[in-house]
Amino acid sequence: MPRGQKSKLRAREKRRQAHAETQSLEDAQATGAVAAAAAAAAGESPSSVCPPFEDRPQNMPAAGTPSTPEGPQGTTKANAAVSCTNSDEGTNSQKKESSKSSKGIEDLRRDPLHMKVALLVHYLLHKYQKKEPITKSDMLKFVIKKYKYRFNEILKRASEHMELAFGLDLKEVDPTRHCYALVSKLDLTSNGTMNEEENPPKTGLLMIVLGVIFINGNCATEEEIWEVLNMMGVHAERKHFIYGDPKKVITEDLVQLKYLEYRQVANSDPPRYEFLWGPRAHVETSKMKVLEFLAKIYDTVPSAFPFWYEEALRDEEERAQARMAARARAAAMASARSRATASARSRAMASNFSQAK
């Protein structure tokens, strides 16, 4: 065989091997993502699933297929977050696990975007915790790959998971270079944060609790809070693979950070407890923002809840008036200081002139 033809055959064989290795890696990632999604949907910990990225933070969740439980207003999108937030419920038999994995792979074949959404959620949370820039080019290169033509759809679904599970909004900060940033739904002040870069963000859990408090007349009993959280797979007596100990988070951590107030119900025997918004919640979010968050869970708009929407509008108006009053006070104080300074300068000049004579 001529030397040139042999070289072409060797080059063709190398390309075939490289393609086979790439396909094998993508298949492994797909299986891992589906297994994680199936584990989350089944209420199991995904800790045994191989991470799709290096240096993945511990207990990073996988996003799966959003399910639709019935809520007080009908079908909801709550499990768009629940697929990322279901709690550990023990282990199942090997046979059941095998069956779930097989079902997950069948679902993937029907809609391979599930895997891409799961991987993108991993990727976005990884970038957020590492404080690294998020660019469209990197998402296409490392996650989306051959599904470039479905980028917008995949990004939209992953963004919904990030918002509902973690309370993080994905915003395009540089349209020219297509750079993005994950922004907390809370207007975090410089006076301390929830250390969300080191741990999976708990803002999503907080927003849900604040929402339950709001729709229960701005004060919700502990039973009312857990009734809603249990529907979303978050239980007081079970460790959650994102939130850790949920009861500690909402009765201690968020209380110490002044996002929640936790107090005993007056004259209750045996003692019962209730939650209210804490002072930081009033500063860093609003009833309208919380209602918008709840509306997204129910796949609707805030005005679909007219009673609470009217209250949220009143709250917005009161906040606007308070801001205007604060600005007016600040302007008056600045003006007074300016007049005092001018008056003092005039007296000093008059004194100097008198001494000069």
Side-chain angles (χ1 to χ4, degrees), residues 52-53 56 60-61 116-130 132-143 162 182:
F53 301 102
R56 181 171 73 94
M60 186 184 289
K116 290 300 180 183
V117 171
L119 292 180
L120 188 54
V121 168
H122 278 286
Y123 180 82
L124 292 173
L125 189 57
H126 173 83
K127 287 289 188 179
Y128 177 76
Q129 293 177 312
K130 294 289 186 180
E132 295 175 350
I134 301 168
T135 65
K136 179 178 179 178
S137 59
D138 283 347
M139 287 188 279
L140 289 171
K141 180 180 179 181
F142 297 115
V143 183
M162 297 300 295
L182 285 164

Side-chain angles (χ1 to χ4, degrees), residues 130-173:
K130 294 289 186 180
K131 297 184 179 180
E132 295 175 350
I134 301 168
T135 65
K136 179 178 179 178
S137 59
D138 283 347
M139 287 188 279
L140 289 171
K141 180 180 179 181
F142 297 115
V143 183
I144 308 300
K145 298 183 179 179
K146 64 181 180 180
Y147 291 95
K148 293 179 181 180
Y149 65 100
R150 305 293 293 276
F151 172 77
N152 290 336
E153 181 183 352
I154 295 169
L155 185 65
K156 180 177 182 294
R157 287 164 59 174
S159 299
E160 289 178 350
H161 284 297
M162 297 300 295
E163 180 180 10
L164 298 177
F166 304 113
L168 296 172
D169 287 324
L170 184 68
K171 297 182 180 295
E172 189 173 23
V173 294

Side-chain angles (χ1 to χ4, degrees), residues 224-268:
E224 289 168 334
I225 296 290
W226 288 111
E227 181 181 358
V228 173
L229 293 181
N230 289 349
M231 291 170 57
M232 304 187 72
V234 181
H235 302 269
E237 70 280 3
R238 298 176 190 165
K239 185 175 180 180
H240 194 276
F241 72 88
I242 294 176
Y243 306 128
D245 182 348
K247 185 169 185 178
K248 179 179 179 295
V249 170
I250 68 171
T251 61
E252 296 181 30
D253 299 347
L254 295 175
V255 173
Q256 290 172 2
L257 289 168
K258 300 189 182 301
Y259 285 110
L260 296 174
E261 184 181 339
Y262 183 58
R263 69 187 186 189
Q264 184 176 339
V265 176
N267 303 319
S268 60

Side-chain angles (χ1 to χ4, degrees), residues 295-314:
K296 285 192 176 181
I297 290 179
Y298 285 95
D299 197 18
T300 185
V301 293
S303 56
F305 310 101
F307 179 80
W308 300 318
Y309 184 63
E310 289 295 327
E311 183 175 347
L313 285 176
R314 288 194 299 271

